[in-house]
Each structure stands twice: as C-alpha cells, then as structure tokens.
C-alpha cells in the first residue's frame, strides 16, 4: 500500500520502536480530544499506517473495523475498546510474560 507517510518514520512507528496500540494512542490528545467520535477519528487518520509487529503494517481503518463503540468519553474507554478489538482480530502483538522469563528451576 502507498502510505501517506513512512510507517517507520516519526509520524508512524518511530523507526519500529512503537507498535500497534502505542502508534494509535499517540494520535490522541488526552486533554483535548474527548469525548471522541470513532467515525471522525477514522475519517481523519484512517489511511495512516499502524505497525502491528516487525513484519506487518495495516491501516488505522483496518484496526478500527473491530471497534463497536461509536464514542469514547475518555482516554481509558478509548484504550479499552481499542485493545479489545485488536485482541479479537489478531492485531495484538504480545508474546506474554512467559516469553521473557527463564525457567529458574
């Protein structure tokens, strides 16, 4: 896809330092943007690239296809709905604590 900006640039995933939820969250101003309309947010940022993991980039529009809520009262509500939709639609990249803890037996 021809992205409106580099998925790994400062407007995207900051050189692959940020993935998924973090990339979406930095598009929101917690003090200024709420209540936030899902449709208005997607209309403004829908074509922006969201790096899911080291190999996959999808549009913000694709991430929000699984978000049922039409409006978010605050940042916490926004984060919860987004995280739920990402996990349900295989867009959540997290290996779990077990991947980072060695067996101490």
């Amino acid at each position: 896809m021809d992205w409106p900006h580099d998925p790994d640039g400062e407007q995207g995933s900051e050189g692959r330092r940020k993935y998924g939820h973090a990339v979406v969250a930095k598009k929101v101003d917690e003090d200024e943007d709420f209540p936030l309309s899902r449709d208005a947010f997607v209309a403004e940022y829908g074509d922006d690239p969201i790096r899911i993991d080291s190999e996959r980039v999808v549009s913000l529009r694709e991430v929000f296809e699984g978000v049922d809520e039409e409006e978010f009262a605050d940042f916490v509500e926004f984060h919860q709905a987004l995280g739920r939709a990402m996990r349900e639609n295989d867009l959540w990249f997290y290996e779990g604590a077990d991947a980072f803890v060695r067996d101490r037996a």
Side-chain angles (χ1 to χ4, degrees):
M1 179 170 186
D2 190 18
W3 301 110
H5 58 263
D6 179 1
D8 297 318
E10 289 305 310
Q11 292 180 356
S13 61
E14 298 180 8
R16 295 187 180 199
R17 290 188 306 275
K18 295 191 177 185
Y19 295 94
H21 206 168
V23 177
V24 176
K26 70 182 196 170
K27 297 179 181 303
V28 179
D29 183 323
E30 185 173 359
D31 298 322
E32 302 287 327
D33 292 341
F34 294 93
L36 179 70
S37 162
R38 177 199 60 208
D39 294 343
F41 186 71
V42 172
E44 183 172 352
Y45 298 108
D47 293 331
D48 284 9
I50 306 299
R51 180 165 290 287
I52 299 301
D53 57 35
S54 63
E55 298 178 2
R56 187 165 55 151
V57 177
V58 300
S59 70
L60 182 134
R61 185 174 323 283
E62 185 176 336
V63 172
F64 271 80
E65 286 175 359
V67 175
D68 295 328
E69 293 81 355
E70 294 179 9
E71 186 173 272
F72 310 100
D74 57 33
F75 207 47
V76 172
E77 198 174 283
F78 174 81
H79 273 289
Q80 289 172 339
L82 180 60
R84 201 169 31 252
M86 290 180 75
R87 283 188 297 277
E88 290 171 359
N89 293 293
D90 195 32
L91 297 173
W92 188 267
F93 178 72
Y94 178 66
E95 294 157 347
D98 294 343
F100 303 102
V101 178
R102 292 183 185 198
D103 184 10
R104 297 180 186 224

